Amino acid sequence: MSAEKKIKKARRGNEKAFQELIQDEKNKLFRMAYLYVKNEDDALDIVQDTIYKAYISIKQLKDPHFFSTWISRILINTALDFIKKNNRMIPFSDVNGFRGDSNLRIEEKLDLVEAIERLEVQYKTVIIFRYYKDLSIKQIAEILECPEGTVKTRLHRAINQLKSDLKEECI
Amino acid sequence: MNDYLSNNVKKEVDKIKIPEDKLDQTIEIGIKRGKKNQRSLGKKVFYFSSAAILFFGLLIGSAFVSPAMAKVVSKIPYLGQIFESKNDIVKVISEELRAKGYNSTGAGVSFPEKVIYITIQGSEKYFDTVKGDVENIAKDILQSKNYDAYSIKVTRYKERKIEVDEKEEKQSIEFAREYDIFYPAITKELKKRDYNVLSLSLNYNPKTIEIEIPNTETRIDEMKKVVNQILKANNIDSIPLKIKKIDMKKREQDIRWREILDVVSEDLLGKKDYKVRMVGYSVHPEPEIQAFITLPSSDESAKDFAQQLEKVIDDFLKSEQMKSSIKNDPYHITIYSKDDKIIN
């Protein structure tokens, strides 16, 4: 059964089709959530909320081609809500100091995932969408409901940030 | 940097470890929560529709009083559907397909898998072009009745050659010849003597004649004699005769309860919420409706669920519409768990 058919079925309330769709996406969903909250339990909570929201609103998914994008968007909004609610986001200035320390200790390697995890939320989001979900600038702008220029700027800054974080590594 | 990111983000992020069991569990809980939410939505719809039905009731009520009103009412379409009798879902689907002009040869449903099989006759090309449409029509019908428990499988009809054993073929022709001779003869004779016969059949393997009579009929020996005489008169070897006495009251009850089961089972089997995998009935010694559910008896909630299900069925059987079929028969409802234990 093609993905499109599954989505159509799921929209008509077929639970099995929905489950199958989620099976294809679950690992990505978990990893994205993990990038935001940096721990397993919270990431699982976010995935659960995402699936709940997706299940009750799948009828609103207009274009079945974009299921993956659509559910990623739900996940990221859920993650952002979660961070806001739990106030677990570490302020950027703290991260800076913290990073300095760890850089001294683990001199040679700060891996890419860690670097992404440390990005500010808005930078993190564009990096995830652009490089993990392979979306175009235009698509990201649509999802985030902001001008393409803003996306470009954020992406640029995010990349600079990553660059400086990873400069010990040979890029 | 751009290239570095597009090459490495996926690779690196995909290294984040997945707690698979926990993730699957979490997904299940998420879906369950979603289903609960939908059910409460269903309630809202229910309230709304009961208000609508009440309104319609008033409208029709006033139609009887006022001719002006009657004219208004006659313009509203589709009211007839409410009074239409329920129909077997498979029949509805196959009739719809026939009406739409598809070469469908048949539809059937298998339990407990609950798969509706539709077979299409025609070339492979024809099959490929209509398969999707047929599936969608069937799905729409299921959808319109809110039957979410069935899945649909459309297949192409393949002609099978039936191998014929010559000896058997000969036997069956001989058998048919005998049948043609004695069947009219016996029925005529029995009728003439005014025996009360319900049915007369000839079984092929082993060869026996079976006659069904009401248990009020007492002239059994006489009847046997008559039949043997007729066979002799037509040069047919004597055939063992089996007489089956039928309790007419039970038979009537049996037919009635089979119909009741048909009505009850439509929804029970069609909707996932009921968790019913099979249904059954019996009238010996007393009418009984049986429902086989998918929960094992070890499941904690199984007992509660079974009791709820029993109540749902009971309420339905006690409803005004079912009164004429049930005719004050005492009955019980038995719920079987997945491992076939009675759990209510």
Side-chain angles (χ1 to χ4, degrees):
Chain A
M1 185 166 43
S2 73
E4 209 171 310
K5 254 188 187 165
K6 268 187 222 164
I7 290 160
K8 273 188 191 157
K9 263 189 166 177
R11 273 175 48 186
R12 280 195 294 257
N14 183 319
E15 192 187 323
K16 209 177 144 227
F18 184 80
Q19 265 169 341
E20 278 170 27
L21 287 170
I22 295 296
Q23 282 305 318
D24 298 342
E25 293 290 328
K26 65 176 183 183
N27 290 355
K28 272 198 171 167
L29 291 175
F30 175 80
R31 289 188 171 118
M32 284 192 278
Y34 192 89
L35 288 176
Y36 280 93
V37 290
K38 299 164 210 153
N39 81 72
E40 197 181 292
D41 288 339
D42 289 345
L44 286 170
D45 278 352
I46 291 172
V47 172
Q48 193 193 110
D49 273 355
T50 303
I51 287 173
Y52 165 71
K53 285 178 192 167
Y55 189 89
I56 58 175
S57 53
I58 188 148
K59 286 202 180 98
Q60 291 160 22
L61 171 61
K62 287 189 190 83
D63 192 333
H65 294 293
F66 297 131
F67 178 77
S68 175
T69 312
W70 175 76
I71 199 162
S72 304
R73 179 185 178 178
I74 296 179
L75 180 106
I76 282 174
N77 285 330
T78 310
L80 295 181
D81 282 350
F82 183 91
I83 291 168
K84 236 186 255 165
K85 227 188 257 167
N86 292 275
N87 228 347
R88 299 235 176 121
M89 188 177 70
I90 309 161
F92 196 51
S93 52
D94 288 4
V95 175
N96 265 337
F98 172 60
R99 187 181 57 221
D101 292 347
S102 71
N103 262 354
L104 284 177
R105 269 187 280 114
I106 322 162
E107 295 166 325
E108 78 281 15
K109 209 168 184 187
L110 178 67
D111 74 29
L112 181 55
V113 170
E114 260 176 287
I116 293 174
E117 280 173 7
R118 285 182 187 187
L119 287 176
E120 260 185 279
V121 167
Q122 48 177 343
Y123 299 142
K124 194 186 289 186
T125 306
V126 288
I127 290 287
I128 291 174
F129 275 139
R130 184 77 186 92
Y131 295 106
Y132 191 56
K133 295 293 295 179
D134 281 332
L135 297 180
S136 68
I137 305 243
K138 198 178 158 205
Q139 282 172 310
I140 300 173
E142 271 167 23
I143 290 173
L144 300 177
E145 288 164 354
C146 66
E148 282 178 46
T150 311
V151 176
K152 277 184 200 158
T153 317
R154 283 187 195 168
L155 207 52
H156 189 67
R157 287 192 187 150
I159 292 171
N160 277 343
Q161 178 76 47
L162 290 175
K163 223 185 245 176
S164 78
D165 278 357
L166 295 165
K167 71 180 163 218
E168 281 86 9
E169 278 190 292
C170 31
I171 298 168
Chain B
M1 188 71 191
N2 256 329
D3 284 346
Y4 170 77
L5 286 176
S6 25
N7 289 332
N8 286 283
V9 168
K10 257 186 233 156
K11 213 166 71 194
E12 293 298 321
V13 171
D14 278 340
K15 281 185 190 158
I16 295 177
K17 238 179 65 199
I18 302 283
E20 285 187 29
D21 289 347
K22 279 190 199 166
L23 185 58
D24 285 339
Q25 229 177 339
T26 238
I27 288 169
E28 216 172 286
I29 297 171
I31 293 178
K32 252 185 215 161
R33 278 172 57 205
K35 269 204 293 199
K36 251 187 216 155
N37 182 289
Q38 278 191 335
R39 220 169 283 158
S40 72
L41 193 82
K43 258 183 212 162
K44 277 179 218 155
V45 173
F46 172 74
Y47 288 136
F48 176 76
S49 52
S50 15
I53 288 168
L54 193 70
F55 173 73
F56 265 98
L58 289 174
L59 204 66
I60 295 164
S62 52
F64 285 113
V65 182
S66 144
M69 203 62 190
K71 219 173 195 179
V72 175
V73 170
S74 66
K75 279 181 192 159
I76 304 170
Y78 299 133
L79 204 63
Q81 280 185 344
I82 302 170
F83 308 108
E84 242 170 53
S85 67
K86 286 195 170 191
N87 225 337
D88 183 9
I89 185 73
V90 175
K91 208 167 140 198
V92 173
I93 290 176
S94 60
E95 271 170 10
E96 176 74 16
L97 289 176
R98 207 160 302 150
K100 291 222 163 119
Y102 291 104
N103 286 339
S104 85
T105 50
V109 59
S110 78
F111 292 106
E113 301 87 11
K114 299 196 185 168
V115 181
I116 294 179
Y117 291 95
I118 301 169
T119 40
I120 304 281
Q121 197 166 24
S123 65
E124 216 144 295
K125 208 171 146 200
Y126 173 76
F127 175 70
D128 284 339
T129 49
V130 300
K131 187 185 173 213
D133 294 342
V134 168
E135 214 173 314
N136 285 336
I137 289 169
K139 269 178 201 155
D140 286 346
I141 292 171
L142 289 176
Q143 179 85 3
S144 71
K145 294 192 168 232
N146 281 328
Y147 292 162
D148 52 0
Y150 294 110
S151 55
I152 292 165
K153 211 165 180 177
V154 182
T155 52
R156 197 162 87 86
Y157 174 75
K158 288 189 196 90
E159 264 181 82
R160 282 198 204 85
K161 271 199 180 151
I162 302 163
E163 281 182 29
V164 184
D165 184 343
E166 248 177 61
K167 209 173 128 199
E168 256 179 43
E169 173 92 353
K170 221 172 173 184
Q171 260 179 5
S172 78
I173 289 172
E174 173 70 7
F175 178 77
R177 196 186 59 81
E178 283 181 0
Y179 184 83
D180 282 345
I181 297 172
F182 88 77
Y183 184 82
I186 294 179
T187 23
K188 202 175 145 200
E189 190 62 29
L190 292 178
K191 219 173 221 167
K192 207 167 86 188
R193 289 167 190 258
D194 202 23
Y195 289 131
N196 199 347
V197 175
L198 295 171
S199 80
L200 170 73
S201 60
L202 184 58
N203 292 333
Y204 180 46
N205 202 6
K207 222 168 171 186
T208 43
I209 294 175
E210 201 175 286
I211 297 180
E212 287 185 345
I213 54 165
N215 59 355
T216 47
E217 178 66 72
T218 51
R219 296 166 291 180
I220 294 169
D221 286 335
E222 260 180 75
M223 211 185 283
K224 278 185 181 168
K225 248 182 230 159
V226 172
V227 172
N228 276 326
Q229 273 168 14
I230 296 168
L231 290 180
K232 223 182 218 168
N234 288 294
N235 291 328
I236 297 172
D237 294 339
S238 116
I239 301 170
L241 186 64
K242 229 165 84 188
I243 299 215
K244 220 171 157 185
K245 291 186 191 172
I246 305 284
D247 182 339
M248 292 307 284
K249 268 197 195 134
K250 272 285 174 211
R251 168 171 278 214
E252 183 269 338
Q253 200 178 37
D254 190 280
I255 293 171
R256 214 148 33 80
W257 279 87
R258 190 182 314 157
E259 276 162 11
I260 292 169
L261 182 78
D262 279 348
V263 180
V264 177
S265 62
E266 276 270 298
D267 271 14
L268 286 183
L269 291 171
K271 293 182 183 168
K272 268 187 190 158
D273 285 346
Y274 295 120
K275 302 193 200 312
V276 173
R277 62 192 158 94
M278 251 181 331
V279 292
Y281 79 107
S282 161
V283 290
H284 301 284
E286 255 182 17
E288 174 183 273
I289 293 283
Q290 299 150 343
F292 299 78
I293 61 174
T294 54
L295 296 174
S297 59
S298 54
D299 191 321
E300 281 172 27
S301 59
K303 225 178 144 109
D304 279 349
F305 182 81
Q307 274 159 3
Q308 275 175 35
L309 185 64
E310 182 187 346
K311 184 150 191 326
V312 169
I313 299 172
D314 196 43
D315 285 349
F316 181 75
L317 294 180
K318 287 210 165 76
S319 68
E320 207 55 41
Q321 296 95 303
M322 296 305 289
K323 231 177 200 166
S324 62
S325 325
I326 291 181
K327 291 190 173 158
N328 291 326
D329 279 358
Y331 62 87
H332 36 242
I333 297 160
T334 316
I335 313 281
Y336 291 88
S337 64
K338 195 181 179 187
D339 36 331
D340 290 333
K341 285 185 184 136
I342 297 176
I343 51 167
N344 63 326

